[in-house]
Amino acid sequence: MNSTIHSSEDDLVFLDEPDNEDTSVASRPVQTWRIMIIDDDPDVHSATTFALGSLEIQHRALSFLHAYSAAEAREILQKESDIAIILLDVVMEQEDAGLQLVSHIRKTLGLTDVRIILRTGQPGYAPEIDAIRDYDINDYKTKSELTRTKLYTAVTSAIRSYEQICAISASRRGLEMIIHASTELMALQGMQNFAAGVLVQITGLLGLDTEGFVCARHILAEMPEAGEDLYVIATTTSYANGLNRTLGQLGQVTASDIVVRSLNARQSVFEPEITALYFNNVAQKDFTLFLNTGLHLNEMDKRLLGVFCGNVSVGLDNVMLTSRLHNYAFYDPLTGLANRLKLLQTLNETLLTSLKNRSALSLIDIDHFAETNDALGHQFGDQLLYSVAQRLVTSFGEHCQLARVGSDTFALLGEENMVCPDKILTLFNSPFDVDQQEVQLSATIGLIKLDDYDGDGSEALKDTNIALKRAKMNRRGGYEYFTRDMGVEIRERVLLMHALRAAFEHEKLFLVFQPQIDMRDGRVLGAEALLRWKTEDGRFIPPDQFIPIAEYSGLIVDIGEWVLRTACFELVHLRSLGYTNFQMAINVSQAQFSHPLFMQSLNKALADTQAPPNFVELEITESMAMKDPELLIKTLHQIKQLGISVSIDDFGTGFSSLSHLQKLDVDKLKIDRAFVNEIQKNSNEGSIAKMIVQLGKNLGLSIIAEGVESEMQANTLLSYDCHMAQGYLYSRPLTRDDLHTWLANR
């Protein structure tokens, strides 16, 4: 059928009209392409709808909106959306009304997706080239050339373009939502918070009001007891009763089935009514999201969902890494207990709350653990520590904060009635079963009550450690509570240690020399070199105060080497003054003597000073002789090969073994001043000194007494057949210059 419809101004010609067009609304699908016709000629509206009304494009019918002026079009466009095409007349109320409306649609309303086909019956009013160049239109047609076929072609092309643009826009919006969702998820800390965030974001992305849950395995640091089971770690409202329970306990057979299938296949599973989304990760840990809604996705939806799942997987890797780093930072990997840093956090929190008033902190040190570790191996030692930790958790885990703060030291923080030394020590009464062996352990405990404590967590931990050291010093297997006196004492020791180091570095230490005499004729045999320290304000620090500190800090090795060299230099100087039979006695500490470079430093001192070894005597203490006899015997043999003599200082004050003493290659015993002081007139109190003299004689050793202050003591010692002595009766310790004067006056 051929038909021609004429308007007063514009001609719209349709050719080859079919005779059986059915334009009823009922025959068209619900979803339509919306086309808006804007023209001031009603006949154009009728002709256009008649020409296109029965057609389908891309399997969708067309529906129409009508506006008969630019003003009416503005009102409709303000309210309506999803318009695919606008067929727009150029000349309406005004000659450029159509072009102004194009500008309004694009710039004011921001409708960039809609396709605009400009139609005119008067081309001269809007030249085609100028209109396409200056305005965002998609096609320009004169009404006279628009046959039905050409109109259909133009509309079909525009709809395809519109569909592609909508897909691109939807993809862009979807990607923007994914980026936003990913950003939100990245800010979440902890696996359970992250899982809950994934649920929220996926429902927002899909635009669905759906219910679901997230389940996981192997990745819950917050739930170490989870083991191999799948646990529900985040839910929406309808599944809230299953939170932190196993998947089996959820009681949802269908949901459990699709989740397990998704995990086994390591991919998402889509079914008509339900969906399981699988999230891959670097660590290959199971993590799946269940939705009780089936997802009917087109290809673009699937691609977007794939991008989202990929981003979630990256976020999952980051959260897992963060969780592992958090564990490494705050928990002990061997025992699973909190570490020192985590304990300090909890301790500081406790000190800032009312819990402080009834709380206590204890440090539990395993006695002689190092020996057990060395004897049975580090693997056995680790198992033993784990067993100790488990026993502590069983007894105190529900009420107290437990931590491992050292290799074999545990901390316990809680209420005073729980952090009780008797309760703690009771745990060590029964042996620990490790690797099918029973190991009996004991522990020493230091404690502090926090109720009146003014310091912070680090200070409290430090003071508890002071109490622990005091307990270990007094009696292994016992305990000590921290007192303020302990704190003052240890701080004074630390200050003294720093002052001693500074004094040594600035050459404020010096030697004095106490002469040693043959009591039979008053002849000077030599002198003992003694270390002294005088502070800047003129105070003398007693040796019994600073020598233990020097030994504890390790500074005694350097100080001892300096003493050795200085005494040897003085010996050489005295020989140059004519005192060629003068012997120099030099004290050697345990730390210095057992140092692996001791013999090297001794040889170097002799070589550098040119001191004659046969006039050098080294004094070692009796406790040194008993601590490591084998090392002592070996070292003494090397010393004697140099020609140096050796004496045992303070003999009788320790717990000597005569069998060991016989094996030692020593030359002299020195009677301690405590036994010399016991010598009194008409008394048997000096019998210990007499026994030492007799023992020395029987072993072929020389004997010298120190601390001789009276003629009576000297005469008594001579009667015991002890000929050598030093003490105030003959001379106080003398400085270098005073010694020279004293010797000259003799």
Side-chain angles (χ1 to χ4, degrees):
M1 180 180 69
N2 297 329
S3 64
T4 303
I5 300 176
H6 299 277
S7 67
S8 59
E9 295 182 348
D10 303 33
D11 293 328
L12 182 60
V13 182
F14 298 103
L15 303 178
D16 304 323
E17 294 284 348
D19 294 329
N20 57 346
E21 290 289 335
D22 180 8
T23 59
S24 65
V25 175
S27 65
R28 295 198 298 269
V30 176
Q31 277 195 317
T32 63
W33 299 113
R34 305 186 76 196
I35 297 176
M36 185 173 186
I37 304 171
I38 306 173
D39 201 299
D40 58 358
D41 186 348
D43 291 339
V44 172
H45 288 262
S46 300
T48 304
T49 54
F50 179 76
L52 300 177
S54 62
L55 299 178
E56 285 189 3
I57 300 175
Q58 302 288 83
H59 307 292
R60 287 167 64 176
L62 309 180
S63 61
F64 299 93
L65 297 170
H66 298 276
Y68 296 90
S69 66
E72 185 181 1
R74 289 171 187 256
E75 293 180 6
I76 294 173
L77 288 169
Q78 195 74 35
K79 304 173 184 176
E80 299 291 338
S81 61
D82 298 329
I83 298 173
I85 299 173
I86 295 177
L87 296 171
L88 175 62
D89 186 20
V90 176
V91 180
M92 289 181 286
E93 303 100 311
Q94 300 173 351
E95 292 180 354
D96 61 346
L99 294 178
Q100 290 182 17
L101 184 58
V102 171
S103 180
H104 177 77
I105 291 170
R106 298 300 194 203
K107 296 179 180 178
T108 304
L109 299 180
L111 299 177
T112 58
D113 295 350
V114 62
R115 303 294 85 196
I116 299 177
I117 299 176
L118 206 61
R119 300 192 298 182
T120 182
Q122 304 176 32
Y125 286 99
E128 182 177 344
I129 293 176
D130 294 343
I132 292 174
R133 182 191 65 209
D134 298 336
Y135 295 89
D136 183 10
I137 62 175
N138 306 104
D139 207 349
Y140 191 113
K141 300 292 183 183
T142 60
K143 295 178 181 179
S144 60
E145 66 178 310
L146 278 177
T147 63
R148 186 186 185 206
T149 302
K150 289 184 177 180
L151 180 61
Y152 173 76
T153 301
V155 170
T156 300
S157 177
I159 284 177
R160 285 174 178 167
S161 175
Y162 173 74
E163 186 178 29
Q164 291 173 353
I165 289 172
C166 287
I168 293 171
S169 297
S171 178
R172 184 186 68 249
R173 288 192 297 272
L175 288 173
E176 289 173 352
M177 291 179 66
I178 289 171
I179 292 171
H180 175 74
S182 300
T183 303
E184 294 288 322
L185 289 173
M186 290 297 182
L188 298 175
Q189 299 293 323
M191 187 58 63
Q192 291 184 300
N193 289 336
F194 180 81
V198 172
L199 265 178
V200 171
Q201 297 298 339
I202 192 67
T203 53
L205 182 67
L206 297 173
L208 298 173
D209 185 14
T210 185
E211 298 284 341
F213 59 85
V214 176
C215 61
R217 177 162 47 208
H218 297 306
I219 53 180
L220 291 181
E222 302 93 327
M223 297 171 59
E225 71 280 2
E228 295 294 317
D229 288 327
L230 279 167
Y231 269 73
V232 176
I233 61 174
T235 70
T236 57
T237 304
S238 63
Y239 294 98
N241 63 337
L243 186 62
N244 293 333
R245 302 174 69 184
T246 65
L247 183 62
Q249 292 173 329
L250 195 62
Q252 300 282 336
V253 178
T254 305
S256 299
D257 175 68
I258 193 172
V259 166
V260 171
R261 283 191 285 124
S262 173
L263 290 173
N264 290 339
R266 294 195 176 279
Q267 64 182 22
S268 299
V269 177
F270 300 95
E271 292 192 349
E273 302 300 328
I274 55 178
T275 301
L277 297 178
Y278 178 77
F279 298 94
N280 195 15
N281 54 86
V282 173
Q284 296 294 302
K285 304 300 184 184
D286 294 334
F287 187 87
T288 299
L289 183 148
F290 169 80
L291 296 174
N292 67 351
T293 302
L295 301 182
H296 305 283
L297 307 175
N298 58 34
E299 287 303 316
M300 187 186 73
D301 292 337
K302 290 179 180 178
R303 287 196 296 270
L304 287 175
L305 189 60
V307 172
F308 175 75
C309 291
N311 281 11
V312 170
S313 296
V314 172
L316 178 60
D317 291 333
N318 291 338
V319 170
M320 290 169 61
L321 176 60
T322 302
S323 297
R324 287 198 298 271
L325 292 176
H326 180 273
N327 286 343
Y328 291 146
F330 294 104
Y331 294 91
D332 171 46
L334 174 63
T335 62
L337 300 179
N339 62 12
R340 178 185 292 268
L341 184 58
K342 181 65 175 177
L343 174 69
L344 284 174
Q345 283 188 348
T346 308
L347 188 54
N348 280 321
E349 292 168 2
T350 301
L351 290 169
L352 293 175
T353 66
S354 59
L355 290 174
K356 167 185 174 181
N357 299 327
R358 57 181 185 275
S359 295
L361 172 68
S362 72
L363 289 178
I364 307 160
D365 187 81
I366 310 302
D367 295 332
H368 309 296
F369 176 77
E371 290 88 337
T372 302
N373 205 32
D374 292 340
L376 300 178
H378 293 287
Q379 184 175 0
F380 185 90
D382 288 346
Q383 294 177 10
L384 185 57
L385 288 172
Y386 182 79
S387 296
V388 172
Q390 289 301 109
R391 189 173 291 186
L392 288 169
V393 168
T394 301
S395 299
F396 299 100
E398 293 184 6
H399 309 285
C400 302
Q401 170 72 53
L402 278 160
R404 183 185 176 209
V405 296
S407 62
D408 58 350
T409 305
F410 297 88
L412 189 60
L413 172 65
E415 294 190 5
E416 284 184 32
N417 63 328
M418 289 299 300
V419 185
C420 169
D422 292 335
K423 290 182 179 179
I424 298 171
L425 292 174
T426 301
L427 298 182
F428 294 87
N429 290 342
S430 57
F432 293 84
D433 186 9
V434 179
D435 196 20
Q436 298 182 343
Q437 297 185 52
E438 286 193 347
V439 182
Q440 185 66 58
L441 295 177
S442 64
T444 305
I445 304 173
L447 305 101
I448 187 170
K449 295 181 178 180
L450 302 179
D451 53 352
D452 61 347
Y453 194 76
D454 298 327
D456 62 12
S458 61
E459 291 174 338
L461 188 59
K462 180 176 63 179
D463 289 342
T464 312
N465 196 49
I466 291 173
L468 174 62
K469 289 185 176 180
R470 178 63 62 88
K472 291 165 70 174
M473 186 186 306
N474 291 343
R475 182 172 63 88
R476 289 276 185 172
Y479 65 89
E480 287 282 348
Y481 276 93
F482 175 78
T483 64
R484 295 188 184 276
D485 290 342
M486 285 184 195
V488 171
E489 178 185 336
I490 194 67
R491 287 174 178 82
E492 288 179 349
R493 284 170 60 86
V494 170
L495 292 174
L496 195 61
M497 181 179 69
H498 290 304
L500 176 60
R501 189 178 298 278
F504 177 60
E505 291 174 352
H506 294 90
E507 300 181 354
K508 299 300 182 182
L509 301 181
F510 61 96
L511 293 184
V512 293
F513 305 89
Q514 185 168 38
Q516 295 178 336
I517 306 297
D518 187 329
M519 292 185 290
R520 293 171 298 185
D521 54 15
R523 181 166 49 91
V524 179
L525 303 174
E528 179 184 5
L530 301 169
L531 184 62
R532 293 293 184 265
W533 176 18
K534 187 177 182 180
T535 62
E536 294 289 347
D537 58 3
R539 289 187 305 115
F540 280 97
I541 307 297
D544 60 357
Q545 286 188 20
F546 72 81
I547 293 295
I549 292 175
E551 291 177 337
Y552 175 78
S553 66
L555 190 60
I556 193 65
V557 175
D558 292 333
I559 293 176
E561 184 176 353
W562 175 82
V563 169
L564 181 63
R565 295 173 66 85
T566 304
C568 286
F569 272 121
E570 179 59 23
L571 174 62
V572 172
H573 181 65
L574 288 170
R575 290 176 64 80
S576 70
L577 297 178
Y579 305 106
T580 54
N581 290 322
F582 196 94
Q583 187 172 47
M584 185 65 72
I586 307 167
N587 290 283
V588 179
S589 73
Q590 168 68 36
Q592 183 185 4
F593 191 82
S594 59
H595 194 277
L597 299 180
F598 172 68
M599 288 304 302
Q600 180 179 323
S601 65
L602 178 59
N603 278 294
K604 193 171 188 306
L606 294 175
D608 292 347
T609 63
Q610 293 298 302
N614 54 319
F615 286 97
V616 175
E617 179 183 282
L618 299 183
E619 290 191 4
I620 63 174
T621 62
E622 184 180 1
S623 58
M624 286 170 57
M626 304 310 300
K627 186 167 185 180
D628 192 345
E630 292 183 4
L631 174 64
L632 183 68
I633 291 171
K634 179 182 177 181
T635 307
L636 288 180
H637 178 69
Q638 294 173 331
I639 292 172
K640 295 303 293 290
Q641 283 186 320
L642 296 176
I644 296 174
S645 59
V646 179
S647 69
I648 296 181
D649 193 12
D650 303 333
F651 187 79
T653 58
F655 300 94
S656 298
S657 166
L658 295 182
S659 62
H660 281 137
L661 186 61
Q662 284 183 303
K663 297 176 183 177
L664 298 180
D665 192 6
V666 298
D667 303 281
K668 185 185 296 182
L669 297 181
K670 178 179 279 190
I671 305 173
D672 186 77
R673 67 177 64 247
F675 302 130
V676 174
N677 288 337
E678 291 176 354
I679 299 175
Q680 300 176 11
K681 282 186 179 180
N682 302 321
S683 172
N684 292 323
E685 293 295 334
S687 58
I688 295 179
K690 185 176 182 179
M691 290 170 56
I692 294 173
V693 174
Q694 291 173 348
L695 175 63
K697 293 295 182 182
N698 291 336
L699 295 174
L701 305 177
S702 301
I703 308 296
I704 184 171
E706 66 175 351
V708 178
E709 298 181 356
S710 68
E711 290 288 350
M712 182 272 296
Q713 290 173 339
N715 291 331
T716 303
L717 288 167
L718 282 170
S719 69
Y720 295 160
D721 205 14
C722 174
H723 304 148
M724 292 181 287
Q726 65 186 81
Y728 283 9
L729 177 62
Y730 305 104
S731 174
R732 292 175 176 271
L734 304 170
T735 64
R736 181 173 180 267
D737 293 338
D738 289 343
L739 175 63
H740 298 166
T741 302
W742 185 85
L743 288 172
N745 292 335
R746 300 277 303 181

